[in-house]
Amino acid sequence: MKKFLTIIPILLLINACEEPLDWQLDDNITPRLVVEAMLTNQPGLNYVQLSLPVRNPNRSPQPVSNATVAFIEGNNYHILTEDTNSPGLYLADPSLRGVVNKVYWLYIVAGEYKFAAGAYMVPVSPLKKFIYYEDPGKQGYYMIYPRESDTPAYTEYRVEWESSSGQMEQSLFYTYKLSTLDVNQFFKPDAETLSFPAGSRIIRTKYSLSPDHERYLRSLLSETDWRGGWFDVMHGNLHTNLNNGAVGFFAASSVVRDTVYFD
């Protein structure tokens, strides 16, 4: 009861910050909002992306501007600011850092609609030693040998190098360690491999996965990266921790990062 009473003034403050929006939604239409939200223990990696659902896959999502967005932990609240260069993208204060083993709440007020989600931040295990091998199909190029995590997590590999024309090239790929092996994961379609030349810079960023976050990620991969394999199942709804007809996920992840200069 005490925790509920402390949240009331915060919600009143959020409601007082409401601004009119330039979009309207029918109460009978769901989902009402698409949310991609991330809170980490690292500054600069904390954001919320809001958009309207897309009925036509060939159309780009319409961003949702002028919403009020906040991260809340206990009696502490952090109002996010919309990026003036990227409508619908809300950024936390650059100094904000989440703390492991704490519960965080995301509150969104968009016009007459209010949405909320809770997330628990679990620890992340250290990155393992970087291993590479020669690309057998491309002389002078190399490939990353991903090391499995000791705990559920996903790792982003950002590879940057200078091309022969002097332009900076960049590629991204992800690896996933889930607590159980899905048959679709084991028999997923072959993905394009990434190779890079000497002189590249590889930035590895590893995110911890809570059980709820892992459930969302598994449902997302089953509809994307793992789709098209031998054991496809019927399309299903993605798991979400948001209420009131919103879809997407609010993730709280602890992060570890390193940079390898590959000479």
Side-chain angles (χ1 to χ4, degrees), residues 5 9 16 31 33 44 111 137 149 160 208 212 249 261:
L5 292 175
L33 185 69
S149 172
E160 302 172 342
S208 67
D212 202 32
F249 199 79
Y261 291 92

Side-chain angles (χ1 to χ4, degrees), residues 21-23 32-34 49-52 62-67 82 87-90 110:
L21 301 182
D22 56 1
W23 56 273
R32 294 194 178 105
L33 185 69
V34 179
Q49 181 79 55
L50 303 181
S51 61
L52 294 180
Q62 178 184 346
V64 174
S65 293
N66 300 324
E82 186 171 10
L89 176 62
Y90 298 81

Side-chain angles (χ1 to χ4, degrees), residues 1-64:
M1 183 66 178
K2 181 178 180 181
K3 180 180 289 188
F4 178 75
L5 292 175
T6 59
I7 289 177
I8 290 178
I10 297 173
L11 294 180
L12 291 176
L13 175 62
I14 292 176
N15 290 341
C17 298
E18 288 185 41
E19 296 183 27
L21 301 182
D22 56 1
W23 56 273
Q24 295 181 351
L25 281 176
D26 189 326
D27 283 336
N28 296 321
I29 294 179
T30 55
R32 294 194 178 105
L33 185 69
V34 179
V35 180
E36 178 188 340
M38 174 65 75
L39 174 64
T40 74
N41 62 340
Q42 298 292 328
L45 294 179
N46 308 307
Y47 67 92
V48 176
Q49 181 79 55
L50 303 181
S51 61
L52 294 180
V54 177
R55 306 298 178 187
N56 184 340
N58 295 321
R59 296 181 58 186
S60 299
Q62 178 184 346
V64 174

